[in-house]
Amino acid sequence: MDHVLPPQDNDTYKTLLESTKAIPWKLDWASKQFTYIGPQIESLLGWTQDSWQSAEDWAARMHEEDRDRVFNFCISQSLQGLDHEADYRALTADGGFVWIRDVVHVIRAANGEPEALIGFMFDISERKQTEQQLLDLQKQLEVLSYQDSLTGVANRRMFDSVLEKEWLEASRHQQPLALIMIDIDYFKQFNDAYGHLKGDEILKQVSSLLSHAGVRVNDFFARFGGEEFAWILPETDLVSAGKIAERCRHLIFKAQIPHAHSAVSQLLTISVGVGSIIPSATDQMNDFLADVDRLMYHAKHQGRNRIVLQEEV
């Protein structure tokens, strides 16, 4: 490749181009050969200036995940005579890659056909790194927005989202959907006696214990609010949901958490409501949620430390 600028370009212009961090280049459209590429290319990518002979070299030195997308886009835009830019990962001679933004201007002949492409390559690796950090941060914030800050399990917002999704799935496929609502018995008295810091510790402990009651990947556990927790159990009938509820009670009992100010036990206990439904066209999700919540309060009104199933009311 002849690395000489066209005759009309003077030495001052060439010096200016080659002193910038951006890498200038020119490609003859008919032959697809580079007629010029700036010497900065070697310090950035490691490939010598003389090794950039044709558009094939450019494409071959592009990350395989970007190659087809960028190559096809640039060809399409150039054929239409449209200036364009593209971001891609350019491979380095030592096996790494650098994020490049190629800004391309199309020089057209009198008949409107492309005659040459001229452009600049910019190293945008630092910008891409910042963008990725922002994306990672955004994902972390999204996770946190669905996570209960005290216990670390899913929060009410996530519960509502999952329940809506599972309700639609259950309705569409006519499969049972079960819901378990759980309340810690006499938790106000626990807080009054032991203090709110101890109460927060117990909420964390109870949350951790209850979160192990599910048996399948798509069983979903959340803190519903205050001292209430919930399980959403897709494709689960009332009998199976009742077994999960019993497991919840057993896990809490096994932990032997003292609660001297409970009116039903010297240990911490829970009251549980359990319901299951195959949603019909006339059923409403919020009505089902309210029904199971009432079942939990039936358990409390019947003396606490017990499970009330849908069919028992």
Side-chain angles (χ1 to χ4, degrees), residues 9 24 49 60 64 90 110 114 129 134 229 259 291:
D9 296 315
Q49 188 181 17
E64 61 181 7
Q129 184 178 12
L134 289 173
F229 298 89
H259 188 353
D291 287 343

Side-chain angles (χ1 to χ4, degrees), residues 273-288:
V274 185
S276 182
I277 188 174
I278 298 176
S280 69
T282 58
D283 290 317
Q284 297 296 317
M285 181 189 73
N286 287 335
D287 291 341
F288 175 58

Side-chain angles (χ1 to χ4, degrees), residues 10-81:
N10 57 37
D11 291 341
T12 302
Y13 184 51
K14 180 178 179 180
T15 300
L16 178 63
L17 284 176
E18 296 184 354
S19 65
T20 65
K21 289 186 177 180
I23 302 166
W25 56 268
K26 184 173 183 179
L27 184 81
D28 177 69
W29 181 257
S31 66
K32 304 299 188 293
Q33 297 290 306
F34 281 104
T35 57
Y36 178 78
I37 192 163
Q40 307 99 309
I41 194 73
E42 186 169 353
S43 60
L44 180 61
L45 300 180
W47 307 100
T48 63
Q49 188 181 17
D50 289 336
S51 69
W52 295 82
Q53 295 293 320
S54 70
E56 290 184 3
D57 297 317
W58 169 72
R61 293 168 181 175
M62 196 181 302
H63 197 290
E64 61 181 7
E65 294 178 4
D66 302 332
R67 188 176 298 133
D68 289 344
R69 169 183 61 84
V70 173
F71 186 81
N72 292 335
F73 171 74
C74 290
I75 291 294
S76 171
Q77 296 297 101
S78 298
L79 284 172
Q80 296 178 66

Side-chain angles (χ1 to χ4, degrees), residues 257-278:
I257 303 169
H259 188 353
H261 296 267
S262 170
V264 294
S265 172
Q266 290 297 299
L267 298 174
L268 194 78
T269 60
I270 57 175
S271 296
V272 185
V274 185
S276 182
I277 188 174
I278 298 176

Side-chain angles (χ1 to χ4, degrees), residues 152-163:
V153 300
N155 61 14
R156 175 64 186 273
R157 180 184 179 192
M158 188 64 170
F159 170 88
D160 291 340
S161 177
V162 171
L163 183 60

